[in-house]
Amino acid sequence: MFKSIHHVAIICADYAVSKHFYTSILGLEIVAENYRAERASYKLDLRLPSGAQIELFSLPGAPVRPSYPEAQGLRHLAFSVDSVATTAAYLNSLGVAVEPIRVDEYTGRAFTFFCDPDGLPLEVYEEIEA
């Protein structure tokens, strides 16, 4: 019945800053960008190479995340990468703070965390080709 994740929705505080982060730094493709006048907000549809999407919303007056990272609800968003070390170095070179690289005790794969401009925890997780 359920085949894959189609999209994840994120509400940001500063639309221009978050749009730059997700498109220029993370390299996600813009599928559509719409301004919703009745809500005074934007909806930006972004796509990863796998086809999975992120919907980035601006919502004036949205409350901040209550705690980091253990708030109830979505804990973090994880992206597959070929090399966590390469990705972490790239993010660091653009001024994005990245936590030390760790190894998943169950899979043996490398991973690390960083945050988007609103403090949403993001993870990069190393995929090993079969």
Side-chain angles (χ1 to χ4, degrees), residues 107-122:
T107 67
R109 295 182 184 181
F111 69 98
T112 191
F113 289 92
F114 60 103
C115 291
D116 82 349
D118 292 306
L120 177 68
L122 302 174

Side-chain angles (χ1 to χ4, degrees), residues 8-122:
V8 174
I10 297 171
I11 298 171
C12 64
D14 186 319
Y15 180 73
V17 169
S18 291
K19 178 182 177 182
H20 171 76
F21 179 81
Y22 283 98
T23 60
S24 298
I25 293 176
L26 299 191
L28 277 63
E29 173 192 356
I30 296 175
V31 176
E33 182 176 29
N34 296 289
Y35 181 73
R36 302 175 310 171
E38 71 281 0
R39 293 182 168 190
S41 70
Y42 282 92
K43 178 181 182 283
L44 181 66
D45 296 322
L46 303 165
R47 182 173 35 228
L48 288 123
S50 68
Q53 295 184 22
I54 291 178
E55 293 179 340
L56 184 65
F57 291 93
S58 65
L59 256 174
V64 298
R65 184 177 173 87
S67 71
Y68 173 88
E70 304 300 337
Q72 290 182 350
L74 183 65
R75 184 172 182 188
H76 63 265
L77 173 60
F79 297 97
S80 312
V81 297
D82 291 328
S83 168
V84 169
T86 300
T87 304
Y90 165 76
L91 291 168
N92 278 321
S93 76
L94 295 174
V96 177
V98 178
E99 293 181 3
I101 295 173
R102 297 182 260 170
V103 175
D104 186 308
E105 63 184 295
Y106 300 109
T107 67
R109 295 182 184 181
F111 69 98
T112 191
F113 289 92
F114 60 103
C115 291
D116 82 349
D118 292 306
L120 177 68
L122 302 174

